[in-house]
Amino acid sequence: MVFMRPLQQKKRTSPFQIIILGFLLVILAGSFLLMLPISTKQRIWTPFVDALFTSTSAVCVTGLVLHDTATYWSGFGQLIIILLIQIGGLGVVTVAGAFAILSGRRIGLMQRSTMQEAIAAPNVGGIVRLTGFILKTALVIELLGAAILLPIFLKDFGTLRGVWYALFHSISAFCNAGFDLMGVIAPFSSLTSYSDHPIVSIVIMLLIITGGIGFLTWDDIRTNRFHFRKYRMQSKVILTVTLALIAIPSVYFFLFEFVQAPLDERLLLSLFQSVTPRTAGFNTADLTAMSEPGQFIMTVLMLVGGSPGSTAGGMKTTTLAVLLASSLAVFRRKESANFFNRRISNDAVRQAATILIMYLFLFLTAGLIISRMENLPLLDCLFETASAIGTVGLSLNITPQLGIVSHLILISLMFFGRVGGLTLIFATMSHTQSTNAKLPQERITVG
């Protein structure tokens, strides 16, 4: 029996560790493929750090780049990038589960548990059905977006390139990645040449929003249609916060940022620059020309990010909502926070506070380090670190100029932002023994 204990105590890989390992493997595989000469237009070997940065940015659906995607990478390289974006947007575990389902393999309890954690599903039951819904929804929305963009890009870029551009930008927008191929017009220009084009702007915005509110919310909408009262509390919170985070910054941008533009273009610019910080990474305005208050608002929006179980990163809309509800409960001297007549658990409040502290610490520390090392303005560096940890991809055009150490810092932030702080915590602490023992309590004054 003594000899059997080591075998019985053998540690099992947790779902959180599988998620992290899956992302790491895909990032490394993408890095090696992007290093190959066939991946570049000049048929040259790409330095490993550059390939690693691009692969991480694609898998973590960020959009920060060191090389202009259209002018540096070949068709093969662009294909690798969009495949990495699709895998990263849907989730490595979700894609692996999809292949298992399509091949007819039996999905065990461990695999179902991992899939549940990967898409932030409330329970294991129905996870296979939900995975099928995610794949079908993503495919339909991406093809629909590409079909609407196709006539415009056919006119501007020709047949073959027009088809490729429509599909590439639709996938990139739905997955909240922000990679673009508009460098053929001007390197690192994103969608600024379409700032006054209503169809391109509106379609890209809708793709970003649909990808960013989460598949669980879409499943709720599909099930309950327009009966908002029947939605899960989380879906109600996500939709409400998402609407507020689009509407309020839009009003500010409209009143103070784009006052020189014609009225219709001004409205499109204001809406687009409010939607895109929700981890999308496209921009139709010159961000370097915006005021510091405008850039600061975008920085805050980037940190918040999208919603749980979506293609987006960041702290998540629900984290912000829980913190605000908890603060409101304190102001009203209530025992617990609540949404829509539903009480929020203390665990959710503690987790939200932990996530906020982690994001702020990493975002501020990384910004300070990069600013000191590169001798650049602190606010500019904080914009880049917020873009990285929020997996957004917006940039003030300083990322390509940074050194290797700064690039490695941004790579780490992108990975953290996509995988999630709690996933990393649970992965490293999954075998920690819990105890009901409590230390003596003593009062401490705060505030």
Side-chain angles (χ1 to χ4, degrees):
M1 293 296 293
V2 174
F3 297 103
M4 291 295 292
R5 265 181 213 161
L7 295 176
Q8 291 171 352
Q9 293 175 353
K10 185 178 180 180
K11 296 179 180 179
R12 294 183 62 186
T13 305
S14 71
F16 304 102
Q17 292 169 335
I18 293 173
I19 292 170
I20 292 173
L21 183 61
F23 272 101
L24 284 174
L25 290 176
V26 173
I27 287 171
L28 288 175
S31 301
F32 289 123
L33 288 173
L34 291 176
M35 286 178 63
L36 300 175
I38 193 176
S39 295
T40 64
K41 288 195 171 181
Q42 296 181 347
R43 295 297 188 266
I44 58 175
W45 287 92
T46 299
F48 175 71
V49 173
D50 290 14
L52 178 65
F53 190 100
T54 305
S55 181
T56 305
S57 184
V59 175
C60 297
V61 289
T62 304
L64 287 174
V65 294
L66 303 182
H67 305 285
D68 183 77
T69 308
T71 56
Y72 182 82
W73 301 106
S74 65
F76 178 79
Q78 293 171 13
L79 178 62
I80 295 300
I81 288 172
I82 203 63
L83 288 175
L84 294 175
I85 289 171
Q86 186 74 86
I87 293 171
L90 294 178
V92 175
V93 174
T94 303
V95 173
F99 278 112
I101 294 169
L102 292 174
S103 64
R105 289 173 53 193
R106 182 178 175 274
I107 309 297
L109 183 60
M110 182 62 180
Q111 288 77 20
R112 291 171 187 264
S113 178
T114 305
M115 292 164 68
Q116 176 199 357
E117 296 295 344
I119 61 179
N123 47 61
V124 176
I127 198 68
V128 174
R129 179 198 63 80
L130 184 58
T131 301
F133 170 74
I134 289 172
L135 295 173
K136 291 175 185 176
T137 302
L139 180 63
V140 169
I141 292 176
E142 288 171 353
L143 289 177
L144 180 61
I148 299 174
L149 293 172
L150 184 59
I152 300 160
F153 290 154
L154 284 177
K155 177 176 175 293
D156 293 346
F157 302 107
T159 304
L160 292 178
R161 185 179 285 182
V163 172
W164 176 236
Y165 275 37
L167 187 61
F168 187 100
H169 289 91
S170 181
I171 295 173
S172 182
F174 178 75
C175 290
N176 280 223
F179 278 80
D180 68 89
L181 299 176
M182 296 303 165
V184 292
I185 299 175
F188 303 105
S189 62
S190 192
L191 298 176
T192 52
S193 57
Y194 290 94
S195 62
D196 60 346
H197 201 296
I199 295 178
V200 173
S201 294
I202 291 172
V203 169
I204 295 295
M205 281 191 286
L206 289 176
L207 287 168
I208 293 169
I209 294 169
T210 53
I213 65 174
F215 294 105
L216 291 174
T217 304
W218 279 114
D219 187 47
D220 223 352
I221 294 172
R222 181 191 64 161
T223 303
N224 298 301
R225 304 295 179 180
F226 298 107
H227 302 288
F228 187 75
R229 291 184 178 180
K230 295 182 179 180
Y231 288 7
R232 289 186 293 263
M233 181 265 287
Q234 176 168 299
S235 298
K236 294 178 182 178
V237 171
I238 287 172
L239 293 172
T240 303
V241 175
T242 297
L243 181 62
L245 290 177
I246 292 174
I248 296 173
S250 294
V251 173
Y252 173 84
F253 292 147
F254 185 82
L255 293 177
F256 300 107
E257 288 297 335
F258 308 115
V259 293
Q260 303 299 327
L263 186 60
D264 53 348
E265 184 178 358
R266 183 178 172 186
L267 180 60
L268 287 174
L269 284 167
S270 301
L271 282 171
F272 198 97
Q273 266 53 239
S274 292
V275 170
T276 194
R278 313 302 310 296
T279 86
F282 293 105
N283 59 284
T284 56
D286 181 4
L287 302 182
T288 60
M290 293 179 67
S291 65
E292 283 192 353
Q295 293 175 355
F296 176 78
I297 289 174
M298 296 192 78
T299 300
V300 173
L301 291 174
M302 288 191 290
L303 286 174
V304 174
S307 301
S310 72
T311 61
M315 289 192 305
K316 302 296 189 291
T317 53
T318 47
T319 302
L320 174 65
V322 167
L323 291 171
L324 291 176
S326 179
S327 300
L328 188 60
V330 173
F331 291 145
R332 292 180 173 179
R333 292 182 175 273
K334 289 188 175 183
E335 186 177 346
S336 59
N338 64 84
F339 295 119
F340 301 100
N341 297 319
R342 293 293 185 271
R343 181 170 54 87
I344 305 300
S345 70
N346 290 331
D347 281 344
V349 176
R350 286 197 295 267
Q351 288 178 3
T354 302
I355 292 170
L356 175 64
I357 292 172
M358 291 174 68
Y359 269 82
L360 289 180
F361 174 78
L362 292 173
F363 149 70
L364 292 171
T365 303
L368 287 168
I369 292 173
I370 292 175
S371 176
R372 175 58 63 186
M373 287 195 310
E374 306 288 347
N375 196 25
L376 291 170
L378 177 59
L379 288 179
D380 290 357
C381 295
L382 289 176
F383 191 95
E384 304 294 309
T385 55
S387 181
I389 199 169
T391 68
V392 182
L394 295 176
S395 176
L396 297 179
N397 299 327
I398 67 172
T399 293
Q401 307 166 18
L402 301 177
I404 292 179
V405 176
S406 297
H407 288 158
L408 292 175
I409 291 173
L410 293 179
I411 287 171
S412 301
L413 290 177
M414 288 189 287
F415 185 78
F416 174 90
R418 183 64 183 105
V419 172
L422 288 181
T423 300
L424 288 170
I425 291 174
F426 294 152
T428 55
M429 305 294 290
S430 60
H431 302 293
T432 302
Q433 294 291 329
S434 60
T435 176
N436 293 324
K438 295 182 179 180
L439 296 173
Q441 180 175 298
E442 186 171 343
R443 183 179 178 85
I444 184 171
T445 302
V446 295

